[in-house]
Amino acid sequence: MRYAVSFEKVLGYIEENLYEDISLDQLASVAGYSKYHFLRLFKETFDMTPLEYVRRRRITESVRDLADTDEYISQIGYKHGFNSKENFTRAFQTEHHICPSEYRMTDNSLKLLHRIRPEEGTLTLVPKIVSLEPFSATVYKSDEEDPTRFWNKYNCGGFSRRLSGGEAQTDYGFSVWNFEQGKLDYYAGILTEHAMGDLSGTMQLYVEGGLYAVFETPKADKYTFVNTIRRTWDYIMKEWVPQCSYEYLGDCDFETYREDSREFSEQIFIHIRDR
């Protein structure tokens, strides 16, 4: 991501004053722009307003305390700039579509907003090219525009073990092109051969065999895993697909990982064929 040096100053100022009352006027002054020019440039650069950035940073920092301490949720909310447990819970639900208490019980990976740094850089990954046989998965269809929020519900709801009848299984996430509506639909579930439990609300998804490029996400921890997945997908679609020697089909790509492994790594399968 490219942005002016003035934004580096702004981001540093936010970190130094994250739990203070930060106004748009203060941030514009640090950047050296008028308030309206600053707001426009910030939104164009980061795809959110400055105050949305502050809120999301506070929520991100609260996640470590939820996962790694026994502090009351109300205390954590106050500590991270929210004036009541209710406001904290509401902001957390808005961001992740689960409650802080649900996250604390499952300790799943979340899509977090760490401090944006210019040195994040880009990835360079070399996939394995494999040939897969057709297979079937038993899946739930996502009711979220952002798949990461659907994964939050999936993990906190214990959907994987519900499908399997209690056994831990590898979870699959499918991005399937909906030709009728001209958009991607997302599904999550397990292989049908392992689906021996409660199948209510599910459907069968048949996956074509063929040639796939398989990418391993770089090493991560529970706090950076979801962002690492996003960066990997960005690299695949923006860098690898346009330059590869294969034809990208785009009809059904999928990702696999095992939540209980706590290895915070997944494989991404991209459907291709020889040109």
Side-chain angles (χ1 to χ4, degrees), residues 229-270:
I229 295 171
R230 175 192 57 79
R231 291 183 65 210
T232 303
W233 275 104
D234 283 347
Y235 167 77
I236 292 169
M237 294 303 170
K238 296 177 182 178
E239 302 289 336
W240 187 82
V241 166
Q243 299 177 29
C244 74
S245 59
Y246 299 92
E247 180 183 355
Y248 171 57
L249 299 180
D251 53 350
C252 179
D253 302 320
F254 62 95
E255 49 197 345
T256 69
Y257 89 117
R258 190 164 177 145
E259 176 70 21
D260 71 331
S261 73
R262 311 308 285 172
E263 292 180 356
F264 306 107
S265 177
E266 77 167 26
Q267 291 186 318
I268 296 175
F269 291 74
I270 302 298

Side-chain angles (χ1 to χ4, degrees), residues 64 107-112 114 148 151 155 216-233 255-268:
R64 292 183 182 273
D107 195 22
N108 60 289
S109 302
L110 297 174
K111 182 181 179 181
L112 301 176
H114 303 288
T148 61
W151 277 112
N155 288 324
E216 296 272 356
T217 58
K219 290 182 180 180
D221 59 28
K222 67 182 178 183
Y223 299 114
T224 58
F225 182 38
V226 175
N227 288 335
T228 300
I229 295 171
R230 175 192 57 79
R231 291 183 65 210
T232 303
W233 275 104
E255 49 197 345
T256 69
Y257 89 117
R258 190 164 177 145
E259 176 70 21
D260 71 331
S261 73
R262 311 308 285 172
E263 292 180 356
F264 306 107
S265 177
E266 77 167 26
Q267 291 186 318
I268 296 175

Side-chain angles (χ1 to χ4, degrees), residues 198-212:
D198 180 2
L199 307 186
S200 58
T202 66
M203 58 179 290
Q204 298 297 305
L205 186 66
Y206 180 79
V207 180
E208 230 182 89
L211 208 60
Y212 284 83

Side-chain angles (χ1 to χ4, degrees), residues 38-255:
F38 167 72
L39 179 60
R40 180 179 63 81
L41 289 177
F42 195 99
K43 289 177 69 175
E44 287 178 356
T45 303
F46 301 111
D47 198 30
M48 69 187 88
T49 69
L51 298 186
E52 286 174 330
Y53 179 89
V54 171
R55 177 183 59 80
R56 292 183 63 192
R57 284 289 299 119
R58 289 175 176 175
I59 292 171
T60 290
E61 293 303 310
S62 76
V63 166
R64 292 183 182 273
D65 287 334
L66 287 169
D68 299 335
T69 77
D70 295 324
E71 291 181 70
Y72 290 117
I73 290 175
S74 57
Q75 292 177 317
I76 294 172
Y78 284 124
K79 177 179 177 181
H80 293 282
F82 297 91
N83 59 13
S84 70
K85 179 182 177 181
E86 291 73 23
N87 284 342
F88 174 56
T89 297
R90 189 179 304 113
F92 197 95
Q93 284 181 306
T94 297
E95 183 69 15
H96 298 299
H97 290 200
I98 55 172
C99 298
S101 57
E102 290 178 302
Y103 168 70
R104 173 169 264 179
M105 284 189 295
T106 57
D107 195 22
N108 60 289
S109 302
L110 297 174
K111 182 181 179 181
L112 301 176
L113 179 64
H114 303 288
R115 178 180 175 179
I116 297 174
R117 299 179 184 275
E119 63 268 21
E120 184 179 63
T122 58
L123 298 176
T124 301
L125 301 173
V126 179
K128 294 180 180 178
I129 307 300
V130 301
S131 181
L132 299 182
E133 295 296 320
F135 65 92
S136 175
T138 301
V139 297
Y140 299 93
K141 184 176 181 180
S142 172
D143 58 356
E144 296 280 356
E145 289 187 10
D146 184 346
T148 61
R149 287 174 170 167
F150 184 64
W151 277 112
N152 293 343
K153 294 179 180 179
Y154 182 92
N155 288 324
C156 287
F159 288 179
S160 183
R161 289 183 182 270
R162 184 189 305 175
L163 286 176
S164 69
E167 295 293 325
Q169 298 292 339
T170 297
D171 293 304
Y172 286 68
F174 300 91
S175 299
V176 180
W177 185 252
N178 185 324
F179 288 95
E180 290 184 2
Q181 299 182 22
K183 67 180 184 69
L184 278 175
D185 290 331
Y186 194 83
Y187 305 85
I190 65 176
L191 294 179
T192 298
E193 62 196 78
H194 300 307
M196 305 295 181
D198 180 2
L199 307 186
S200 58
T202 66
M203 58 179 290
Q204 298 297 305
L205 186 66
Y206 180 79
V207 180
E208 230 182 89
L211 208 60
Y212 284 83
V214 186
F215 294 82
E216 296 272 356
T217 58
K219 290 182 180 180
D221 59 28
K222 67 182 178 183
Y223 299 114
T224 58
F225 182 38
V226 175
N227 288 335
T228 300
I229 295 171
R230 175 192 57 79
R231 291 183 65 210
T232 303
W233 275 104
D234 283 347
Y235 167 77
I236 292 169
M237 294 303 170
K238 296 177 182 178
E239 302 289 336
W240 187 82
V241 166
Q243 299 177 29
C244 74
S245 59
Y246 299 92
E247 180 183 355
Y248 171 57
L249 299 180
D251 53 350
C252 179
D253 302 320
F254 62 95
E255 49 197 345

